[in-house]
Amino acid sequence: MDVERVATALRSMEVGEVKTGEPLSRHTSFRIGGPAAVFVDPKHLDGIVAVLDWVRDEHLPYFIIGQGTNILVSDQGVDAVVISTSRGLKDAEVTPPTIRAGSGVLLTKLCRLAEKAGLAGLEFAISIPGTLGGALVMNAGAHGGAMVEVVESVLVWDAISGVRRISGDEAQFQYRQSRFMHNPWIALEATLRLEPGDPAEIRAKMQHNMEYRKRSQPVGEPNAGSIFKNPLPHYAGQLIQNIGAKGWREGDAMVSELHANFIVNAGQATAHDVLGLMRRIRRRVYQETGVVLRPEVRWIGPGEGGADATWENLWYAEDDGLREP
Ligand SMILES: Cc1cc2nc3c(=O)[nH]c(=O)nc-3n(C[C@H](O)[C@H](O)[C@H](O)COP(=O)(O)OP(=O)(O)OC[C@H]3O[C@@H](n4cnc5c(N)ncnc54)[C@H](O)[C@@H]3O)c2cc1C
């Protein structure tokens, strides 16, 4: 990519700050990640749409980042235009029993708005860090609830047909999955449908969920939430704990002593360290139980396994014998 040409063109659009070589470690909860070739932080919805239209027309690789709480970014960084939603898509409007919000709004903020308006249904989300956009893509969930239950519609930028509204059903939410992962769609805003509830009860449920989280997860250390999906009916954390992996280290990446499905950055961990630890865990769990763990965290970057690495070719590069079926 001709970085200077791209940055100059984006700056001339005057949609927000444009940086080159911005370390993505500043934008991820893992505090890991090399530089973005170009990083742009549009201030409003029209600006994001203008940037997206332009990168599409120029056939440039691009990537949307919310709060970076569910991604592992390559140490080499990404040769792409990284577009942040965390500045521009921040509006939220409560019209009981719905809330319409930009995809850059923090999930915790939405929960507080719901609580204040006496709207129930989002209590599960109170301690999930990240933006509404990230939560839609991941169908984020906890405490038995998930986004699928509350999403009425999403305003998307579709690389093929432009800005349009899709229904929650069209997003095809499944366990930590959605159509956003397989389509050239960017979530711009969403309408959530909640139910009238008792504010005191809503608050109590949220408080309970937050306390549970503090007791059971390493919230004070840099991490990216659950590393592997639960291979139902098993729980990834239980399988990893059973192989005795708590405290395992590769460099400064360490399996949390509090919750075995969390890898924490105990200092200067690199993506290379985290990948090494994930491979080790995955291999041992497979050897001992026959269960193949699949990552929940999303890999961003060319990878150590070659260009356009997905998790699968990262594993293949190591040839750990655990090919995806
Ligand atoms: C301590 C901790 C606890 C966690 N607990 C949970 C939990 O209980 N349950 C759970 O589900 N998750 C959990 N997570 C993971 C994470 O918080 C969620 O997946 C969250 O919804 C991700 O939001 P984000 O803004 O950080 O997304 P990012 O990490 O920035 O992005 C995630 C993916 O979504 C894409 N994306 C982001 N925004 C958009 C958009 N607007 N349009 C299209 N694509 C977009 C990105 O390209 C990327 O592929 C936890 C993470 C941490 C650090």
Side-chain angles (χ1 to χ4, degrees):
M1 181 189 313
D2 181 344
V3 170
E4 283 315 317
R5 183 187 77 83
V6 171
T8 305
L10 288 172
R11 282 187 189 117
S12 73
M13 292 164 77
E14 297 186 358
V15 293
E17 207 175 348
V18 178
K19 296 177 185 168
T20 58
E22 171 73 358
L24 288 175
S25 53
R26 290 189 190 149
H27 302 272
T28 62
S29 56
F30 243 147
R31 304 280 170 261
I32 290 175
V38 179
F39 184 92
V40 54
D41 210 357
K43 289 199 203 87
H44 44 72
L45 192 141
D46 291 349
I48 289 214
V49 170
V51 170
L52 287 166
D53 284 345
W54 188 78
V55 293
R56 176 203 52 205
D57 294 346
E58 293 282 322
H59 306 288
L60 293 169
Y62 61 92
F63 162 69
I64 294 280
I65 190 167
Q67 284 284 305
T69 63
N70 205 46
I71 55 176
L72 176 60
V73 179
S74 155
D75 299 315
Q76 286 76 47
V78 282
D79 191 25
V81 178
V82 176
I83 305 163
S84 166
T85 58
S86 63
R87 185 138 157 224
L89 301 174
K90 290 253 180 210
D91 290 342
E93 190 186 19
V94 183
T95 316
T98 64
I99 302 183
R100 190 185 55 78
S103 64
V105 176
L106 293 181
L107 218 44
T108 45
K109 179 176 170 189
L110 284 178
C111 293
R112 291 302 177 202
L113 286 176
E115 176 203 326
K116 223 168 132 193
L119 293 175
L122 263 184
E123 296 88 322
F124 73 88
I126 183 65
S127 44
I128 303 180
T131 61
L132 172 60
L136 291 168
V137 173
M138 300 305 303
N139 185 23
H143 309 288
M147 294 306 289
V148 59
E149 290 151 26
V150 295
V151 177
E152 182 172 273
S153 67
V154 186
L155 187 70
V156 300
W157 176 87
D158 177 333
I160 296 158
S161 52
V163 176
R164 65 193 181 94
R165 192 166 288 277
I166 62 164
S167 67
D169 286 347
E170 277 178 84
Q172 293 179 357
F173 295 115
Q174 290 174 45
Y175 171 57
R176 301 299 169 268
Q177 270 197 63
S178 71
R179 259 177 97 185
F180 285 92
M181 293 176 175
H182 314 292
N183 282 35
W185 291 357
I186 302 301
L188 299 173
E189 65 167 50
T191 301
L192 309 182
R193 179 163 291 272
L194 304 171
E195 284 173 7
D198 173 14
E201 262 180 42
I202 296 169
R203 198 169 313 124
K205 261 195 198 166
M206 289 184 179
Q207 191 61 32
H208 175 270
N209 290 346
M210 284 192 305
E211 281 165 13
Y212 175 81
R213 173 95 45 170
K214 270 191 207 143
R215 281 198 310 274
S216 59
Q217 295 179 5
V219 286
E221 294 166 277
N223 69 76
S226 296
I227 281 286
F228 294 104
K229 290 186 193 181
N230 288 323
L232 296 171
H234 306 285
Y235 286 95
Q238 193 61 54
L239 294 172
I240 300 169
Q241 183 168 327
N242 291 349
I243 60 164
K246 278 187 170 177
W248 278 8
R249 274 183 98 115
E250 290 281 334
D252 271 348
M254 189 180 96
V255 179
S256 165
E257 296 280 3
L258 203 55
H259 193 310
N261 197 24
F262 279 63
I263 290 179
V264 298
N265 178 353
Q268 304 296 318
T270 60
H272 178 85
D273 296 335
V274 176
L275 284 172
L277 197 49
M278 290 174 74
R279 283 194 188 105
R280 216 169 124 197
I281 294 168
R282 206 173 113 99
R283 192 179 300 128
R284 182 70 75 81
V285 166
Y286 179 68
Q287 283 164 352
E288 295 200 5
T289 66
V291 176
V292 176
L293 292 176
R294 293 191 172 80
E296 176 167 326
V297 76
R298 307 206 73 201
W299 170 254
I300 307 299
E304 302 163 323
D308 302 325
T310 61
W311 283 115
E312 284 74 17
N313 65 31
L314 284 173
W315 307 136
Y316 294 176
E318 185 70 4
D319 198 16
D320 61 5
L322 296 178
R323 307 218 168 203
E324 304 290 326

